[in-house]
Amino acid sequence: MVVVNDKKIQEQLVEHTWNQQQVVQASHILVICIQDQLDENDIEKYFALVKEIRNTPDEILNPFKNYLKEDVSKKTQKELVPWMKNQAYIALGNLMTVAAIEKIDSCPMEGFNPEKYDEILKLDQHNLKSVLVLPVGFRAEDDYMKDLKKVRKNIEDVVIELS
């Protein structure tokens, strides 16, 4: 994730976000990224970190680690992108939940030009590609929408209960 709180950079990003003003009005822009290239070394590093932090024995880690290494090695980078994006959405959901708990507004966005974001933020230098944008900040007191009710479908219209 890249955190942008430089107004000049935020201003540059607006035109590449369909001119959505939240990008410049927010105090911070969280740009959620995926790796441009993912390989077995990344998996090894991750499981080494798990072992270091949890002191998990190899006999517990190795079956899943080996499965992932084999699975990743069979896929092209293009085939790995949807999986990596799904992981990014999990992070996005958690970020939005934490922001809401902390009374921080957030506005998730897919509507942006990732190639331009990558260029402006020089993400290639970090083996990253942008996939989601999350402007965050505290709501302005003069925001006319701040006191409006949220519009949500009725729970009966979105949840099917099987019992």
Side-chain angles (χ1 to χ4, degrees), residues 44-72:
E44 284 289 347
K45 287 178 191 175
Y46 172 74
F47 280 95
L49 185 60
V50 171
K51 185 173 180 146
E52 177 186 328
I53 291 171
R54 294 182 178 165
N55 199 25
T56 307
D58 287 335
E59 56 269 10
I60 292 174
L61 293 177
N62 284 344
F64 189 51
K65 176 177 76 171
N66 293 336
Y67 165 78
L68 283 178
K69 285 170 55 176
E70 183 180 336
D71 193 53
V72 165

Side-chain angles (χ1 to χ4, degrees), residues 1 8 26 32 39 50 52-53 64 80 97 104 126:
M1 179 173 68
K8 288 181 183 175
I32 302 172
D39 61 28
V50 171
E52 177 186 328
I53 291 171
F64 189 51
L80 290 169
T97 299
I104 298 170
H126 303 280

Side-chain angles (χ1 to χ4, degrees), residues 118-142:
D118 297 356
E119 180 184 319
I120 291 167
L121 301 175
K122 299 176 176 60
L123 296 182
D124 62 331
Q125 295 176 11
H126 303 280
N127 186 37
L128 296 175
K129 288 183 176 225
S130 56
V131 293
L132 297 164
V133 177
L134 186 67
V136 296
F138 294 103
R139 191 171 303 180
E141 283 303 314
D142 62 351

